[in-house]
Amino acid sequence: MSPLALSVVLALVSAVAYAAAAIVQERVAASAAGPRYAPLRRPAWCGAVVLNGVGAALHVAALAYGPLSLVQPLGALTIVFALPMAALFVGRGAGRRARHGALMATAGLAGLLSLTTGTDARALGDGDRWLLTGAAFGAVGLLFAGAHLVGRPALRSVLLATAAGVSFGAASVFTKAVAGEWTARAPLAEWTALLVLSAFAVGGLLLSQASYRGAGLAAPLATLTVVNPVVAAAVGVTLFGEGFRYGAAGAVAALLCGAVAAGGLVELTLDRMTPAPESPAPPAGPARGRGKGPRGSDGDAAGPEIGQGVDVGAVSGARADLEVEVRSRAVAGRS
């Protein structure tokens, strides 16, 4: 097998691992009533963490054998794999609008990443690293605060998934910076970058777990899948000196691809925010054991209402052990 083919296989298996991890995270979020960020007592969530780790390792291995312009777009197939896998294994299907939005987001992201190039990339200086750290932590903090202010679960999920995407994107940038500067002679020279990288990676994992609470699978996963590489690509263009292929035409095409991806995310969000049609209530039939009365809808006598009690006493002139009389009384007026 050629290195290019091996890179493609590794990238595809990585996308499948990420998709499986997302499905498990969504199921844990849907069934757990405990912590939404780190349900440590759920073995399934620990399995999702392992799957995410496997996906990350395979993605790094794919980058070792193939070019970035090929591997990164293949990583966008996570959402494409996740929807049929969820329908097959857990019976969680997606509607036509959600599928259309997922395909739009994936196609726009794949086109955007295919236009980026890493040629003539420069190293990330200390000042740029601190600038990136502050900007990323600030963006994550604002998105986190906004998620706790909105009332709609679908919008809150998208904001948390966006924050997770920013965290993972920043972690990817620091991974590239550490990999470029690391040497065997000084393995701990980049310890500060490793700490920042770990903080972003753990924060992204916790935020992604919370984003699945009450919002299904498609919208948060598509948001995370798009925001993560877009943030990394934006940092690559602004700080690493990377650019787009084909000059000005490539930049315009990248903007169009970004608009397509954004449209897909909007469609996914609207799909989750649209309320499900309510089933009509069955017509109420006549109740058994109720006599006719002037206040019943079908001549039924109205029974005691909320806040009332029932007195049971013997009917005068009748055998007390056989017949009873039911009288409504107000509890509040009873001493």
Side-chain angles (χ1 to χ4, degrees), residues 94-145:
R96 183 176 62 180
R97 188 176 190 179
R99 292 194 298 268
H100 185 259
L103 290 176
M104 282 182 61
T106 304
L109 175 61
L112 178 64
L113 294 178
S114 65
L115 292 170
T116 59
T117 176
T119 58
D120 299 329
R122 63 180 178 85
L124 197 63
D126 291 338
D128 292 335
R129 294 186 183 189
W130 288 114
L131 177 62
L132 173 61
T133 301
F137 272 121
V140 171
L142 289 176
L143 290 167
F144 182 81

Short mmCIF file of all heavy atoms in Angstrom, two decimals, residues 94-145:
data_model
loop_
_atom_site.label_atom_id
_atom_site.label_comp_id
_atom_site.label_asym_id
_atom_site.label_seq_id
_atom_site.Cartn_x
_atom_site.Cartn_y
_atom_site.Cartn_z
N ALA A 94 -32.24 10.95 11.43
CA ALA A 94 -32.27 12.40 11.22
C ALA A 94 -33.23 12.71 10.09
O ALA A 94 -33.38 11.94 9.15
CB ALA A 94 -30.87 12.94 10.89
N GLY A 95 -33.91 13.85 10.21
CA GLY A 95 -34.85 14.25 9.18
C GLY A 95 -34.16 14.72 7.91
O GLY A 95 -32.93 14.86 7.85
N ARG A 96 -34.98 14.97 6.89
CA ARG A 96 -34.42 15.39 5.61
C ARG A 96 -33.70 16.72 5.72
O ARG A 96 -32.64 16.92 5.13
CB ARG A 96 -35.54 15.48 4.57
CG ARG A 96 -35.05 15.85 3.17
CD ARG A 96 -36.19 15.84 2.18
NE ARG A 96 -37.20 16.82 2.53
CZ ARG A 96 -38.32 17.02 1.83
NH1 ARG A 96 -38.57 16.27 0.78
NH2 ARG A 96 -39.18 17.94 2.20
N ARG A 97 -34.25 17.64 6.51
CA ARG A 97 -33.62 18.94 6.66
C ARG A 97 -32.27 18.82 7.36
O ARG A 97 -31.30 19.48 6.99
CB ARG A 97 -34.54 19.86 7.45
CG ARG A 97 -34.08 21.30 7.50
CD ARG A 97 -35.10 22.16 8.21
NE ARG A 97 -34.80 23.57 8.07
CZ ARG A 97 -35.56 24.54 8.58
NH1 ARG A 97 -36.66 24.24 9.23
NH2 ARG A 97 -35.23 25.81 8.41
N ALA A 98 -32.20 17.95 8.39
CA ALA A 98 -30.94 17.76 9.10
C ALA A 98 -29.89 17.12 8.19
O ALA A 98 -28.72 17.51 8.21
CB ALA A 98 -31.17 16.89 10.34
N ARG A 99 -30.31 16.14 7.39
CA ARG A 99 -29.35 15.51 6.48
C ARG A 99 -28.84 16.50 5.45
O ARG A 99 -27.65 16.52 5.11
CB ARG A 99 -30.00 14.30 5.81
CG ARG A 99 -30.30 13.15 6.73
CD ARG A 99 -30.62 11.89 5.95
NE ARG A 99 -31.79 12.06 5.12
CZ ARG A 99 -33.04 11.76 5.50
NH1 ARG A 99 -33.24 11.28 6.73
NH2 ARG A 99 -34.06 11.93 4.69
N HIS A 100 -29.75 17.33 4.93
CA HIS A 100 -29.35 18.33 3.94
C HIS A 100 -28.37 19.33 4.56
O HIS A 100 -27.36 19.70 3.94
CB HIS A 100 -30.59 19.04 3.40
CG HIS A 100 -30.30 20.01 2.30
ND1 HIS A 100 -30.22 21.37 2.51
CD2 HIS A 100 -30.04 19.82 0.98
CE1 HIS A 100 -29.95 21.98 1.36
NE2 HIS A 100 -29.83 21.07 0.42
N GLY A 101 -28.66 19.78 5.78
CA GLY A 101 -27.75 20.72 6.43
C GLY A 101 -26.40 20.10 6.72
O GLY A 101 -25.36 20.76 6.58
N ALA A 102 -26.37 18.82 7.11
CA ALA A 102 -25.10 18.15 7.38
C ALA A 102 -24.27 18.03 6.11
O ALA A 102 -23.05 18.23 6.13
CB ALA A 102 -25.36 16.77 7.98
N LEU A 103 -24.91 17.70 5.01
CA LEU A 103 -24.18 17.59 3.74
C LEU A 103 -23.65 18.95 3.29
O LEU A 103 -22.52 19.06 2.79
CB LEU A 103 -25.09 16.99 2.67
CG LEU A 103 -25.43 15.50 2.84
CD1 LEU A 103 -26.42 15.05 1.78
CD2 LEU A 103 -24.16 14.66 2.79
N MET A 104 -24.46 20.01 3.48
CA MET A 104 -23.99 21.35 3.13
C MET A 104 -22.77 21.74 3.96
O MET A 104 -21.77 22.26 3.44
CB MET A 104 -25.11 22.37 3.34
CG MET A 104 -26.17 22.40 2.26
SD MET A 104 -27.41 23.68 2.61
CE MET A 104 -26.39 25.16 2.61
N ALA A 105 -22.85 21.50 5.28
CA ALA A 105 -21.73 21.86 6.15
C ALA A 105 -20.48 21.09 5.78
O ALA A 105 -19.37 21.64 5.74
CB ALA A 105 -22.11 21.60 7.61
N THR A 106 -20.64 19.79 5.49
CA THR A 106 -19.47 18.98 5.15
C THR A 106 -18.87 19.40 3.81
O THR A 106 -17.64 19.50 3.67
CB THR A 106 -19.87 17.49 5.09
OG1 THR A 106 -20.47 17.13 6.35
CG2 THR A 106 -18.68 16.61 4.84
N ALA A 107 -19.73 19.64 2.82
CA ALA A 107 -19.22 20.04 1.50
C ALA A 107 -18.51 21.39 1.57
O ALA A 107 -17.43 21.57 0.98
CB ALA A 107 -20.37 20.10 0.50
N GLY A 108 -19.10 22.34 2.30
CA GLY A 108 -18.45 23.65 2.42
C GLY A 108 -17.12 23.56 3.14
O GLY A 108 -16.14 24.19 2.73
N LEU A 109 -17.06 22.74 4.20
CA LEU A 109 -15.82 22.59 4.93
C LEU A 109 -14.75 21.90 4.07
O LEU A 109 -13.59 22.31 4.05
CB LEU A 109 -16.06 21.78 6.21
CG LEU A 109 -14.83 21.43 7.02
CD1 LEU A 109 -14.13 22.69 7.50
CD2 LEU A 109 -15.20 20.54 8.20
N ALA A 110 -15.15 20.83 3.37
CA ALA A 110 -14.19 20.12 2.53
C ALA A 110 -13.63 21.04 1.45
O ALA A 110 -12.41 21.04 1.16
CB ALA A 110 -14.85 18.90 1.89
N GLY A 111 -14.50 21.86 0.85
CA GLY A 111 -14.01 22.80 -0.16
C GLY A 111 -13.09 23.84 0.42
O GLY A 111 -12.06 24.21 -0.19
N LEU A 112 -13.41 24.33 1.62
CA LEU A 112 -12.57 25.34 2.26
C LEU A 112 -11.18 24.79 2.57
O LEU A 112 -10.16 25.44 2.29
CB LEU A 112 -13.25 25.84 3.53
CG LEU A 112 -12.50 26.88 4.36
CD1 LEU A 112 -12.33 28.16 3.57
CD2 LEU A 112 -13.24 27.14 5.66
N LEU A 113 -11.15 23.59 3.14
CA LEU A 113 -9.86 23.03 3.52
C LEU A 113 -9.03 22.61 2.30
O LEU A 113 -7.80 22.62 2.35
CB LEU A 113 -10.07 21.83 4.45
CG LEU A 113 -10.67 22.17 5.82
CD1 LEU A 113 -10.87 20.90 6.63
CD2 LEU A 113 -9.77 23.14 6.58
N SER A 114 -9.71 22.23 1.24
CA SER A 114 -8.97 21.84 0.04
C SER A 114 -8.28 23.03 -0.62
O SER A 114 -7.36 22.85 -1.43
CB SER A 114 -9.91 21.16 -0.96
OG SER A 114 -10.88 22.09 -1.44
N LEU A 115 -8.72 24.25 -0.29
CA LEU A 115 -8.13 25.44 -0.87
C LEU A 115 -6.97 26.00 -0.05
O LEU A 115 -6.25 26.88 -0.51
CB LEU A 115 -9.19 26.53 -1.04
CG LEU A 115 -10.27 26.24 -2.08
CD1 LEU A 115 -11.40 27.27 -1.98
CD2 LEU A 115 -9.68 26.25 -3.49
N THR A 116 -6.82 25.52 1.18
CA THR A 116 -5.73 26.02 2.01
C THR A 116 -4.43 25.30 1.67
O THR A 116 -4.42 24.16 1.22
CB THR A 116 -6.04 25.81 3.50
OG1 THR A 116 -6.22 24.42 3.76
CG2 THR A 116 -7.29 26.56 3.90
N THR A 117 -3.34 25.99 1.90
CA THR A 117 -2.03 25.40 1.64
C THR A 117 -1.09 25.79 2.77
O THR A 117 -1.20 26.86 3.36
CB THR A 117 -1.46 25.91 0.31
OG1 THR A 117 -0.14 25.39 0.14
CG2 THR A 117 -1.42 27.42 0.25
N GLY A 118 -0.19 24.87 3.09
CA GLY A 118 0.75 25.13 4.19
C GLY A 118 2.14 25.49 3.70
O GLY A 118 3.09 25.38 4.46
N THR A 119 2.27 25.88 2.49
CA THR A 119 3.60 26.21 1.97
C THR A 119 4.11 27.50 2.60
O THR A 119 3.34 28.44 2.86
CB THR A 119 3.54 26.37 0.44
OG1 THR A 119 2.57 27.39 0.12
CG2 THR A 119 3.11 25.06 -0.20
N ASP A 120 5.42 27.54 2.80
CA ASP A 120 6.08 28.73 3.35
C ASP A 120 5.52 29.14 4.70
O ASP A 120 5.41 30.33 5.02
CB ASP A 120 5.97 29.92 2.37
CG ASP A 120 6.64 29.60 1.04
OD1 ASP A 120 7.62 28.82 1.04
OD2 ASP A 120 6.17 30.13 0.02
N ALA A 121 5.10 28.16 5.50
CA ALA A 121 4.58 28.47 6.83
C ALA A 121 5.73 28.80 7.77
O ALA A 121 6.77 28.17 7.74
CB ALA A 121 3.78 27.30 7.38
N ARG A 122 5.52 29.79 8.62
CA ARG A 122 6.57 30.19 9.55
C ARG A 122 6.24 29.67 10.94
O ARG A 122 5.14 29.23 11.22
CB ARG A 122 6.70 31.71 9.57
CG ARG A 122 5.46 32.44 10.05
CD ARG A 122 5.67 33.94 10.03
NE ARG A 122 4.49 34.68 10.45
CZ ARG A 122 4.19 34.94 11.70
NH1 ARG A 122 4.97 34.50 12.68
NH2 ARG A 122 3.11 35.63 12.01
N ALA A 123 7.22 29.71 11.81
CA ALA A 123 7.03 29.24 13.18
C ALA A 123 6.20 30.26 13.97
O ALA A 123 6.15 31.45 13.65
CB ALA A 123 8.38 29.03 13.85
N LEU A 124 5.55 29.75 15.02
CA LEU A 124 4.70 30.60 15.87
C LEU A 124 5.55 31.13 17.01
O LEU A 124 6.05 30.37 17.85
CB LEU A 124 3.53 29.78 16.40
CG LEU A 124 2.34 30.55 16.97
CD1 LEU A 124 1.68 31.40 15.88
CD2 LEU A 124 1.33 29.58 17.56
N GLY A 125 5.72 32.46 17.06
CA GLY A 125 6.55 33.07 18.09
C GLY A 125 5.84 33.12 19.43
O GLY A 125 4.65 32.83 19.56
N ASP A 126 6.61 33.50 20.47
CA ASP A 126 6.05 33.55 21.82
C ASP A 126 4.92 34.57 21.92
O ASP A 126 3.88 34.32 22.55
CB ASP A 126 7.16 33.91 22.82
CG ASP A 126 8.18 32.78 22.97
OD1 ASP A 126 7.82 31.63 22.64
OD2 ASP A 126 9.31 33.06 23.39
N GLY A 127 5.12 35.75 21.30
CA GLY A 127 4.06 36.75 21.34
C GLY A 127 2.79 36.27 20.67
O GLY A 127 1.67 36.50 21.17
N ASP A 128 2.92 35.60 19.53
CA ASP A 128 1.76 35.07 18.84
C ASP A 128 1.06 33.98 19.66
O ASP A 128 -0.17 33.87 19.65
CB ASP A 128 2.17 34.49 17.47
CG ASP A 128 2.63 35.58 16.51
OD1 ASP A 128 2.20 36.73 16.69
OD2 ASP A 128 3.42 35.27 15.60
N ARG A 129 1.85 33.20 20.36
CA ARG A 129 1.25 32.14 21.19
C ARG A 129 0.40 32.72 22.31
O ARG A 129 -0.71 32.25 22.56
CB ARG A 129 2.35 31.25 21.77
CG ARG A 129 3.10 30.44 20.73
CD ARG A 129 4.06 29.47 21.39
NE ARG A 129 4.85 28.72 20.41
CZ ARG A 129 5.63 27.70 20.70
NH1 ARG A 129 5.76 27.30 21.96
NH2 ARG A 129 6.31 27.08 19.76
N TRP A 130 0.94 33.74 22.99
CA TRP A 130 0.16 34.35 24.06
C TRP A 130 -1.06 35.07 23.51
O TRP A 130 -2.13 35.06 24.14
CB TRP A 130 1.03 35.33 24.85
CG TRP A 130 2.04 34.66 25.72
CD1 TRP A 130 3.40 34.70 25.59
CD2 TRP A 130 1.78 33.81 26.84
NE1 TRP A 130 4.01 33.94 26.57
CE2 TRP A 130 3.04 33.38 27.36
CE3 TRP A 130 0.61 33.38 27.47
CZ2 TRP A 130 3.14 32.55 28.47
CZ3 TRP A 130 0.72 32.54 28.57
CH2 TRP A 130 1.97 32.13 29.06
N LEU A 131 -0.92 35.70 22.36
CA LEU A 131 -2.07 36.34 21.73
C LEU A 131 -3.15 35.32 21.38
O LEU A 131 -4.34 35.54 21.65
CB LEU A 131 -1.63 37.08 20.46
CG LEU A 131 -2.73 37.75 19.63
CD1 LEU A 131 -3.44 38.82 20.45
CD2 LEU A 131 -2.16 38.33 18.34
N LEU A 132 -2.75 34.19 20.81
CA LEU A 132 -3.70 33.15 20.47
C LEU A 132 -4.35 32.56 21.71
O LEU A 132 -5.57 32.33 21.73
CB LEU A 132 -2.99 32.05 19.67
CG LEU A 132 -3.81 30.80 19.37
CD1 LEU A 132 -5.03 31.14 18.52
CD2 LEU A 132 -2.95 29.74 18.69
N THR A 133 -3.57 32.34 22.75
CA THR A 133 -4.12 31.78 24.00
C THR A 133 -5.17 32.71 24.59
O THR A 133 -6.27 32.27 24.97
CB THR A 133 -2.99 31.55 25.02
OG1 THR A 133 -2.02 30.65 24.45
CG2 THR A 133 -3.54 30.96 26.30
N GLY A 134 -4.86 33.99 24.68
CA GLY A 134 -5.82 34.94 25.23
C GLY A 134 -7.08 35.06 24.40
O GLY A 134 -8.20 35.09 24.92
N ALA A 135 -6.89 35.14 23.06
CA ALA A 135 -8.06 35.28 22.19
C ALA A 135 -8.94 34.04 22.25
O ALA A 135 -10.18 34.13 22.30
CB ALA A 135 -7.60 35.54 20.76
N ALA A 136 -8.33 32.85 22.25
CA ALA A 136 -9.11 31.62 22.28
C ALA A 136 -9.84 31.45 23.60
O ALA A 136 -11.05 31.11 23.63
CB ALA A 136 -8.21 30.42 22.01
N PHE A 137 -9.15 31.70 24.72
CA PHE A 137 -9.81 31.59 26.02
C PHE A 137 -10.92 32.62 26.15
O PHE A 137 -11.99 32.34 26.72
CB PHE A 137 -8.79 31.76 27.15
CG PHE A 137 -8.12 30.49 27.56
CD1 PHE A 137 -6.74 30.36 27.49
CD2 PHE A 137 -8.86 29.40 28.01
CE1 PHE A 137 -6.12 29.19 27.86
CE2 PHE A 137 -8.24 28.22 28.39
CZ PHE A 137 -6.87 28.12 28.31
N GLY A 138 -10.71 33.83 25.63
CA GLY A 138 -11.75 34.85 25.67
C GLY A 138 -12.97 34.46 24.85
O GLY A 138 -14.11 34.62 25.30
N ALA A 139 -12.74 33.91 23.66
CA ALA A 139 -13.86 33.49 22.82
C ALA A 139 -14.63 32.35 23.46
O ALA A 139 -15.87 32.34 23.46
CB ALA A 139 -13.34 33.07 21.44
N VAL A 140 -13.90 31.39 24.02
CA VAL A 140 -14.57 30.27 24.69
C VAL A 140 -15.38 30.77 25.88
O VAL A 140 -16.52 30.34 26.12
CB VAL A 140 -13.54 29.21 25.13
CG1 VAL A 140 -14.18 28.16 26.02
CG2 VAL A 140 -12.92 28.54 23.91
N GLY A 141 -14.82 31.70 26.65
CA GLY A 141 -15.55 32.24 27.80
C GLY A 141 -16.81 32.98 27.40
O GLY A 141 -17.87 32.82 28.03
N LEU A 142 -16.75 33.78 26.35
CA LEU A 142 -17.94 34.49 25.88
C LEU A 142 -19.01 33.53 25.37
O LEU A 142 -20.21 33.69 25.67
CB LEU A 142 -17.56 35.48 24.78
CG LEU A 142 -16.76 36.71 25.22
CD1 LEU A 142 -16.36 37.54 24.00
CD2 LEU A 142 -17.57 37.56 26.20
N LEU A 143 -18.60 32.52 24.62
CA LEU A 143 -19.56 31.54 24.12
C LEU A 143 -20.17 30.74 25.27
O LEU A 143 -21.37 30.44 25.27
CB LEU A 143 -18.87 30.60 23.13
CG LEU A 143 -18.48 31.23 21.79
CD1 LEU A 143 -17.53 30.30 21.03
CD2 LEU A 143 -19.72 31.53 20.95
N PHE A 144 -19.37 30.39 26.25
CA PHE A 144 -19.86 29.65 27.41
C PHE A 144 -20.88 30.48 28.18
O PHE A 144 -21.94 29.98 28.59
CB PHE A 144 -18.68 29.27 28.30
CG PHE A 144 -19.07 28.47 29.51
CD1 PHE A 144 -19.28 27.11 29.41
CD2 PHE A 144 -19.21 29.08 30.74
CE1 PHE A 144 -19.64 26.37 30.53
CE2 PHE A 144 -19.56 28.35 31.86
CZ PHE A 144 -19.78 26.99 31.76
N ALA A 145 -20.58 31.76 28.40
CA ALA A 145 -21.52 32.63 29.11
C ALA A 145 -22.81 32.82 28.30
O ALA A 145 -23.91 32.79 28.85
CB ALA A 145 -20.87 33.98 29.40
#
